[in-house]
Amino acid sequence: DKFYETSSLFFSKALSFVYKSQTPYKMARSKKDTSAEDERKANLRKDIDFVEHTWPAEKLYSHFGCTLEKGLSSEQVLINRGKYGENRLTPPAVTPWYIQYLLQFKNFFAGLLLAGGTLCFIGYGIDPEKDQTNLFLGIVLYIVVTITATFSYLQEAKSEKIMEGFKNMIPKKCKCIRDGKNTVVDAWELVPGDVVDLLDGDSVPADIRVMQANELKVDNSSLTGESEPQDRSTDLAKDAQGNLVMQPLEASNLCFYTTIINSGSGRGVVIGSGDRTVMGQIAGLATETSNEASPINIEISKFIQLISAVAITLGVAFFIVGFFNLEIIQNVVFMIGIIVANVPEGLLATVTVSLALTAKRMHTKNVLVKNLEAVETLGSTTIIASDKTGTLTQNRMTVMHAWVDNETYLCPPGKNIPDLAVLKQTPADEPYYDESSPAFKRLLQVATLCNNAEFLTKNDDGSYMDLKAEMNNPNFNILKQAATGDASEQGLLKLVQPLNDALETRAACPKIFEIKFNSTNKWQLSIHSQGAGRPPLLVLKGAPERVLGMCKSYYAKGEKKEINAAYNKTYTEAYEGLGGRGERVLGFAYKELTGMKDDFKFSSKPSPNFTMDDLTFVGLISLIDPPREGVPEAVIKCNRARVKVYMVTGDHPITAAAIAKQVNIISQENIDAGDAIVVKGDTIREWTEIADPIEQQKKWDEALDHKQIVWARVSPAHKLLIVENCQRRGEIVAVTGDGVNDAPALKKGDIGVAMGIAGKDVSKEAADMILMDDNFASIVNGVEEGRLIFDNLKKSIAYTLSSNIPEIAPFLIYMTAKIPSPLTTVLILCIDLGTDMVPAISLAYETKEADIMDRPPRNAQTDRLVNFRLISFAYLQIGMIQALAGFFVYIVVLNDYGYAPNILMGNGWEWAKHSVMCTINGDGSPKDCGFGCEAEDYEPGYCEGGCQVPSSNNIDPFVEFTASGFRGAGDYTCNRACSNYADIPDDKITAEEREKFVGFCAGDQTWGFSDRGFADDDAIAPVGAKYYWNGQQQNLPNKEYQQNALAYAQCAYFISIIIVQWADLLICKTRKLSLFQQGLQNDFMNFGLLFETVLGATLVYASPLNTVFGTMPLHILHWFPAVPWSMFIFTYDEIRKALMRGNPDGWLNAYTYW
């Protein structure tokens, strides 16, 4: 039962890996269907084919049969729905669940196990003794296949869950105009041509062209990665050359399905619904993309195939040999034994536990591992394709620079007042601002007053935080404090707070009038009371060129001066310099409204009743979504480990390049040398339009040959193409992302890494790992852990495979040399799933080697998990020594029980059924041995079927013995009977025996054994042989003694494997270093050594277990013959490693370093 239980564990694990490496089944299709499917996939990888956003309004209305005031008529809704379909995402084609389930059995390995189970049932059926072993094994094999198929089937539900994630994003209701009336409808009912009202906070129900807009802003971050809300207007977007922008994601008059209206309101016409939307395209890509088999999955699958091929080949080969010599049932059991001996049953359990242990360690580093195999994949990664916003950056706009007093200063915000003091003392390449400068103080005042952002200070218990007091707390972080307002205003507020309390500044100058920002003016204005009889203060912020155009003077170094050409030149250089760094630049101005009082009725309609063209320009502040802490260092670590890091973002190329430089993804030096490149989405579009696939591939290769790459302004389809082309070149790609747009690439990548905090549910579902802190630096920890686990898995495999040879060899020698079997199948399983398990797992606890992040990623084509050098080491070196140790101990023990080595060969097949007989030398040692005739066990009295007991005085002419011993080989030894005694030649019968025949046969001619043959035609005892046991000839057989002696020898062989595995475990701790350099700090390994020894002793000396596993209470002295062999293994490997270290380029290193 133990055999079947443990075999079930192995086969379940093995099958799960094999199944998961299979590509999902697709229903058979015609060539036409296949062509259509290929065309659909190709179209998904292109930009969506919208042109309606470039049409004049009249053409748009005419095309869809609508008007902006009345919308669609009820009749037109039905017509359009018939033409365009419902506003739903089409789920992927699904094979019926029962077909999917049955197809899990369509697998070579599953078929092999099912065939084995069928053979077991057949064997049980034809076995006259009805041995329950075959029945149980057959049942277990069928159960294993069924359970594993069920497990595999459940794993394939992933794509359906991803589609559910998209469905959860779809708005339920929306407001539209039909038949001239405002109405609320389910979002799925919308059709192209519907006129929809968009309000603040709404989820956009389809792809909509904006026809009316009032300060409309939309949050596109889930689609494009842009941190800032994007303005939406009715204007047709045009590029720098004045051409219409055809690419939908670049258009400013489109709102996209499932994005959020950030502020303002508008009205628009639906131009895309359901699958024909940008979101529909992403959903199609995410559910169409197949899961790629992980590198460790591929390695394990190949290893299983290799081991299975070897096991099956040997099993079948020896089954054929045994077919002519063994009974069919015995032969089947023998074949199963060969297969069991070849397959390291505990290996996959070891792999799984090792991966789980690493995943647990990763969790302490804020990485949640959904797919265990992903851990090792990260270690094999050659390219990390990372999203920018929220992964490399903090996903919050933060002030970086200020241009004031005609100089550009570094202006980083502090977390609190103590942190700010430390920050300003930190050495930097640029000067910090002068806090005492009058112009800087004025700039802060304008940034505080002309700002609608406010901190949210209410606590969960209803009390309010004292923000001013908290600013003195060194543990408080104002940068993470929640606030209202848009991202830029929040960034300005967080800059100001550690310098001047915003509430106090605003309380001193209460607001009395405001003109809000709009996309036409591109500025925001507010007027404040200064009290104490001073005139009202006008403050303005906005697009620098607009703000400067409203100014006649500037304020610098405490003086107000008139703007001139020199100042304009200085301003332009500063503005372009900051913009060139990818920073968003805002201009600030002010004016004291002399001659006006606070109670003046300010108005902006129909036009402002106060002057706005003579302001004083005070300076610039630039903001950027800054890199996360630790990211620049993490990228450097990746570069050192030869892992390329690509930035893949939908953001502007200048912004992307600026951030990429800050985090070391690209360098100016490499850009100048032509080794770094920024690839725009427009460029990828041009590549996809190339008809010749070879030429198109050439374009991709030219770009991917660069050392450093930033991919900017790319669409979700482009991200997928980037991943696919990297994989085409043999790269192992890790993809990071947090938005819906990242889902296809996350699923297609060799490993997908989603963000735990900012990540959308769709991206988390598609990913293999989740960064709980959204920090890119955690990925680098994963790379390190992945490399470590690959190293340690190699060590575990080397350790585990070494015992395969001493497990296989007994069966091979038993079959070829016909010695009594030195090892049983049950004891093999005791090793693989017992004594070897904990030591093999303990290697997962080995610490990393010093150079683990200084070497390149492993080459998947050459640096295999199991390569020739490892096989050579485990099988041909250590395994051979272990097998010799086992045979040595086996021979010693049998010799101690009286069976000398020279009598074993040729006599093994009948050892369990018949007692061996031998002639002896003069010193009493056995000379020649063999077996007698087929017979039942001896019982005192009548021997039915013939006696095995030699006659001493009375002559029995029917038996195979004479007074001097066995009659020997010949035609008339075992088959002497009344029916044939007359034919026995004189040299085979004495006169006295013939006389006895006459007397016995006169009354009954049926006496004798005419049908009896030899026990083993190839191992017939010589003439004069007698039973041999306990080291001497005997008159009576003692099959029990003979079987027990073999059981003791088999038990000693088992213990010898444990002892030589002590040395194997120690030498597998390192691949090149000496054990004396590495040390024995791995406490779990030390426990493993103790565990396998105690378990082995328990199996040997616990009486109940002797019956279950066929072990014997071994004499303590029989533990020691294997010890010198264990010492030899350790010494051999230490010398090998020393020679490798002394000559790194030598033969030993080339052919034995695994």
Side-chain angles (χ1 to χ4, degrees), residues 426 600 1043 1140:
T426 305
F600 181 79
Q1043 291 170 342
M1140 283 198 303

Side-chain angles (χ1 to χ4, degrees), residues 239-479:
D239 59 22
Q241 288 74 38
N243 301 316
L244 286 175
V245 173
M246 303 300 293
Q247 160 52 18
L249 285 174
E250 301 290 342
S252 58
N253 62 346
L254 284 179
C255 294
F256 300 107
Y257 196 19
T258 73
T259 57
I260 305 296
I261 302 300
N262 183 267
S263 62
S265 61
R267 177 175 288 186
V269 176
V270 174
I271 64 170
S273 61
D275 292 337
R276 191 176 176 265
T277 59
V278 172
M279 185 57 66
Q281 182 189 40
I282 295 171
L285 286 170
T287 53
E288 170 265 324
T289 308
S290 61
N291 284 309
E292 301 300 312
S294 68
I296 192 67
N297 187 290
I298 294 170
E299 292 293 330
I300 293 291
S301 296
K302 287 186 177 179
F303 175 60
I304 288 173
Q305 291 167 13
L306 172 66
I307 291 294
S308 299
V310 172
I312 294 166
T313 302
L314 285 174
V316 171
F318 282 93
F319 178 82
I320 294 171
V321 173
F323 185 79
F324 301 101
N325 300 287
L326 302 174
E327 295 178 4
I328 183 68
I329 300 301
Q330 184 183 1
N331 206 16
V332 168
V333 172
F334 174 74
M335 179 179 70
I336 292 172
I338 285 283
I339 294 174
V340 168
N342 271 279
V343 178
E345 287 83 0
L347 177 61
L348 292 176
T350 301
V351 170
T352 303
V353 172
S354 299
L355 290 169
L357 287 172
T358 305
K360 186 177 179 181
R361 284 202 302 269
M362 294 284 286
H363 191 263
T364 63
K365 299 178 181 179
N366 290 315
V367 180
L368 175 64
V369 179
K370 288 175 58 187
N371 178 0
L372 290 182
E373 298 160 34
V375 180
E376 193 284 326
T377 305
L378 207 48
S380 306
T381 295
T382 57
I383 290 175
I384 299 175
S386 177
D387 186 31
K388 177 183 73 69
T389 306
T391 307
L392 298 172
T393 66
Q394 298 176 20
N395 197 20
R396 57 171 176 257
M397 296 301 288
T398 305
V399 174
M400 287 298 293
H401 292 94
W403 183 72
V404 65
D405 291 328
N406 298 343
E407 296 287 344
T408 299
Y409 294 101
L410 197 59
C411 193
K415 298 176 183 176
N416 48 65
I417 292 174
D419 177 69
L420 184 62
V422 173
L423 198 62
K424 292 172 69 175
Q425 300 301 318
T426 305
D429 296 334
E430 300 173 278
Y432 287 97
Y433 58 87
D434 179 5
E435 194 175 340
S436 64
S437 163
F440 184 73
K441 290 180 179 179
R442 176 66 78 178
L443 182 64
L444 289 182
Q445 182 191 37
V446 176
T448 306
L449 297 177
C450 194
N451 190 329
N452 289 318
E454 292 183 2
F455 288 114
L456 298 174
T457 57
K458 189 174 183 178
N459 298 316
D460 294 338
D461 60 2
S463 62
Y464 286 86
M465 179 191 307
D466 185 350
L467 206 57
K468 186 175 181 181
E470 287 289 348
M471 290 310 302
N472 292 299
N473 178 0
N475 297 318
F476 181 72
N477 187 352
I478 191 66
L479 302 180

Side-chain angles (χ1 to χ4, degrees), residues 518-534:
N518 63 64
S519 55
T520 303
N521 293 336
K522 295 191 180 296
W523 48 256
Q524 174 187 349
L525 176 150
S526 59
I527 299 176
H528 300 259
S529 170
Q530 298 190 85
R534 298 177 62 188

Side-chain angles (χ1 to χ4, degrees), residues 795 843 846 849 873 1065-1075 1077-1079 1133-1134 1136-1137 1141 1153-1154:
K795 294 173 183 178
L843 286 163
E846 278 298 299
E849 298 175 29
F873 171 81
L1065 183 63
L1066 294 176
I1067 66 176
C1068 286
K1069 274 177 67 73
T1070 65
R1071 293 195 285 164
K1072 189 175 282 189
L1073 291 178
S1074 167
L1075 178 67
Q1077 294 174 293
Q1078 183 79 355
D1133 200 62
E1134 280 291 315
R1136 182 184 68 86
K1137 290 172 182 173
R1141 293 193 301 272
Y1153 177 61
W1154 44 272

